[in-house]
Amino acid sequence: MFCVVDEVQNGADLFPDAFRGGETGTVLRPALRALLKIWSIGMRFVITGTSLNIQHIRDAVSSTVGKFNGHVDSAINGTGSFIYKDEQIDSFLDYYLPSLYLNSTFGKELMRRARYWLVGRPRFVASYVQYLILHDFQYCHRLLTSYIRAVTKFSPTDGTQWEQMEDPMPESIELPAPFNFEK
């Protein structure tokens, strides 16, 4: 069984000395290590995050129960981004959105807007698709504009004509917190 743990930099960087370990109990270990140790029975981990401190990851992985039997560096893969790779965003949206919608004028315009607004981390595209699924693929353009506004505090205006042709979006929709551009 695999367990994906995202944003591991929080468990590693915010609490690098949260636990004691080693033979004498004096070696300080990151909180990430405790998480991996407790969950290590019967699971493999895919740990992901942004700006990971490789030393914190080495400390956490090398000190878990079921020791890692390889070099941490060889197990690291950059997942990259969706920067300037329209086909990646297209493939992702093609997988989740109904083809009938994507082949329509509305869908083609949504793809164009998504390529423009969601470049960067795959998390942006995945999170937006999550909101589309949660709301049964209704008000796709309104959701995209609201999502971008929520994440960036910027209000796109390129979808206004498309939004006017969609049903109104409920005000109770919970959107993500703004992205922290300071990190």
Side-chain angles (χ1 to χ4, degrees):
M1 177 185 297
F2 285 91
C3 176
V4 178
V5 184
D6 194 10
E7 301 296 333
V8 295
Q9 72 275 5
N10 293 322
D13 295 343
L14 294 177
F15 307 104
D17 302 327
F19 293 90
R20 294 178 184 269
E23 290 181 22
T24 62
T26 57
V27 177
L28 297 176
R29 306 276 192 196
L32 177 61
R33 179 222 178 251
L35 173 81
L36 296 179
K37 181 176 180 178
I38 289 170
W39 286 355
S40 66
I41 300 171
M43 280 196 240
R44 291 179 175 207
F45 290 95
V46 176
I47 53 177
T48 66
T50 307
S51 301
L52 298 175
N53 179 321
I54 191 63
Q55 190 55 51
H56 289 168
I57 302 305
R58 275 192 187 100
D59 291 345
V61 172
S62 66
S63 60
T64 57
V65 171
K67 304 261 186 211
F68 180 71
N69 57 358
H71 296 289
V72 173
D73 295 332
S74 66
I76 295 173
N77 290 306
T79 57
S81 65
F82 284 0
I83 297 175
Y84 307 120
K85 298 189 178 171
D86 290 349
E87 68 276 359
Q88 287 179 311
I89 294 174
D90 289 356
S91 294
F92 196 87
L93 294 176
D94 281 341
Y95 185 81
Y96 289 101
L97 275 72
S99 59
L100 187 63
Y101 180 80
L102 287 176
N103 292 326
S104 72
T105 307
F106 273 88
K108 289 176 183 173
E109 180 60 17
L110 182 70
M111 289 288 261
R112 185 202 63 76
R113 293 184 69 217
R115 281 187 220 113
Y116 182 80
W117 291 108
L118 300 176
V119 295
R121 300 289 297 170
R123 175 179 20 182
F124 292 142
V125 181
S127 181
Y128 171 63
V129 168
Q130 174 187 349
Y131 286 100
L132 286 175
I133 292 169
L134 284 172
H135 300 289
D136 297 322
F137 301 100
Q138 298 179 62
Y139 22 85
C140 298
H141 286 276
R142 289 180 190 266
L143 266 175
L144 179 59
T145 298
S146 297
Y147 177 82
I148 297 304
R149 185 181 308 117
V151 171
T152 67
K153 298 288 187 190
F154 177 80
S155 295
T157 58
D158 65 330
T160 306
Q161 74 180 49
W162 302 98
E163 293 170 23
Q164 291 172 351
M165 293 185 261
E166 294 178 335
D167 290 335
M169 197 167 72
E171 291 182 26
S172 62
I173 288 181
E174 209 171 297
L175 292 164
F179 187 74
N180 182 356
F181 290 102
E182 300 299 316
K183 287 185 136 185

